[in-house]
Amino acid sequence: MLKKRIIVCLDVKDGRTTKGVKFQNNVDIGDPVDMAAEYYRQGVDELVFYDIMASARGRGPILDLISRVASKVFIPFCVGGGIGTIEDIRSTILAGAEKISLNSQAVKNPQLINEGARIFGNQCIVLGMDAARDETAPSGYRVYINGGRVKTELDAKEWAIRAVELGAGEIVLNSIDADGVRQGYELNLTRMIAESVPVPVIASGGGGTPRHLADVLTQGKADAALIASMVHSMGYTVDGIKKDLNQAGVPVRL
């Protein structure tokens, strides 16, 4: 059986790690380079680094910071935020990222997924998707961009399917409704997307206890769970969470 992955997310604003609730009221919680090194030491499977203001400010990724983080971790490292061209993808990979997350820029220019996958391989191109409940959308969930600030016309399920057809090799699915509230992942949304696409789906938004991760990795059919608050500020460690999941019968890499 394939092991389930535990991924730590570092949301970065102005060069510092930040954390908010439902994408608002962000507070500074530390240096991303130091934090990346510590989570690597704890045994995290992958690291995701999001520059949460890059797209909104119309600028590209901070390559120096990406390079410094990459020098501290020897696991898959995914970078998102402000990556809007093939040259941005190339320079981010050269700075040390193994994967590129396309979110707002993919919505604005879907061919970027196609071109990125063709040049660098599907395994490098990750669709980042921020979705919220919306009864007017066919699936019941709508896609938002620019850090959850801008509502789109895209239905979450339809967009996931289309992005994979274009070449996305993985989806990081973030529930805006659950983000930062620590009450559990959006199981219905996660299961719906996981059952709709043939690529791995990473659940994001809502993790507060190891039980929440166990639920989304089993009932939600996610291939991986992304966490932030749990290890940033709630006293959990990656290795401790993995031990709890192992005891609950969830296959993880110890």
Side-chain angles (χ1 to χ4, degrees):
M1 185 182 286
L2 282 175
K3 306 280 191 194
K4 301 288 190 176
R5 290 171 287 152
I6 306 304
I7 302 172
V8 169
C9 178
L10 301 174
D11 284 336
V12 177
K13 179 182 179 184
D14 302 323
R16 300 282 293 176
T17 308
T18 183
K19 193 71 190 91
V21 176
K22 297 187 180 181
F23 290 22
Q24 297 177 344
N25 304 317
N26 287 73
V27 294
D28 183 321
I29 57 172
D31 176 68
V33 180
D34 292 343
M35 292 174 76
E38 172 59 21
Y39 297 136
Y40 174 65
R41 189 191 66 75
Q42 290 179 17
V44 73
D45 295 307
E46 295 187 23
L47 200 68
V48 173
F49 174 110
Y50 287 135
D51 187 327
I52 63 170
M53 296 304 295
S55 288
R57 291 175 177 171
R59 62 161 171 76
I62 306 173
L63 299 176
D64 171 62
L65 186 56
I66 292 165
S67 179
R68 286 164 54 214
V69 171
S71 72
K72 299 290 185 181
V73 299
F74 303 95
I75 50 175
F77 174 39
C78 179
V79 173
I83 299 172
T85 67
I86 290 298
E87 194 46 53
D88 286 339
I89 295 176
R90 181 177 286 111
S91 59
T92 304
I93 290 172
L94 288 173
E98 279 83 15
K99 301 179 184 181
I100 303 301
S101 179
L102 302 174
N103 189 320
S104 303
Q105 299 297 336
V107 170
K108 295 169 186 175
N109 176 20
Q111 283 309 117
L112 186 61
I113 300 174
N114 191 251
E115 279 289 284
R118 184 179 63 80
I119 295 169
F120 302 103
N122 301 64
Q123 79 288 345
C124 283
I125 306 300
V126 178
L127 177 73
M129 180 164 66
D130 298 318
R133 282 188 289 271
D134 184 341
E135 291 177 0
T136 66
S139 71
Y141 296 88
R142 188 167 298 283
V143 175
Y144 283 71
I145 60 171
N146 289 5
R149 289 180 285 274
V150 178
K151 183 178 182 177
T152 74
E153 295 300 309
L154 294 172
D155 175 75
K157 180 178 174 181
E158 291 172 2
W159 176 228
I161 292 168
R162 184 176 172 217
V164 171
E165 288 172 348
L166 285 166
E170 195 166 66
I171 295 175
V172 174
L173 174 63
N174 189 56
S175 165
I176 294 173
D177 302 300
D179 183 74
V181 297
R182 308 171 186 176
Q183 297 298 307
Y185 295 86
E186 243 276 27
L187 299 182
N188 291 332
L189 171 64
T190 308
R191 187 186 310 110
M192 177 182 68
I193 300 299
E195 290 177 342
S196 301
V197 296
V199 301
V201 171
I202 299 164
S204 172
T209 69
R211 181 74 249 170
H212 292 155
L213 276 77
D215 287 345
V216 83
L217 293 169
T218 55
Q219 298 170 43
K221 299 191 176 180
D223 297 272
L226 188 143
I227 55 175
S229 303
M230 285 180 71
V231 287
H232 293 342
S233 58
M234 294 176 67
Y236 288 100
T237 62
V238 175
D239 47 345
I241 292 168
K242 284 186 169 186
K243 285 172 184 170
D244 285 343
L245 288 171
N246 185 56
Q247 287 179 347
V250 178
V252 290
R253 190 177 292 108
L254 294 171

